[in-house]
Amino acid sequence: MYPTFLLLSAGMFLLTAHWVIGLPPFLGVALVMAFRTPREEAMMIERFGEEYRSYANSVGRYLPRP
């Protein structure tokens, strides 16, 4: 979900061709990703423990791993 929002906001930045309109949504999504993801990871580890750690090690954080 986060990579999709980041790509959409990057697309808006490119489509507007004006940094005042396009840059704030891109930076907003990037900041949400930077600050929210670690909290979500900690919450999942607290709730599911080693089972979630094992799962997280087998998949990518933002994009699927091959």
Side-chain angles (χ1 to χ4, degrees):
M1 182 174 78
Y2 290 136
T4 302
F5 290 151
L6 194 63
L7 286 173
L8 285 172
S9 63
M12 187 165 80
F13 181 54
L14 293 172
L15 286 172
T16 61
H18 197 281
W19 67 272
V20 172
I21 297 169
L23 192 59
F26 181 78
L27 290 177
V29 171
L31 287 172
V32 166
M33 287 175 69
F35 289 107
R36 187 171 180 174
T37 303
R39 291 189 329 182
E40 288 176 350
E41 294 278 327
M43 180 188 67
M44 296 296 282
I45 290 169
E46 183 180 321
R47 169 94 169 136
F48 299 106
E50 193 57 40
E51 185 179 355
Y52 180 75
R53 284 182 201 269
S54 175
Y55 167 77
N57 287 332
S58 67
V59 298
R61 179 174 277 179
Y62 297 114
L63 297 173
R65 262 193 239 170

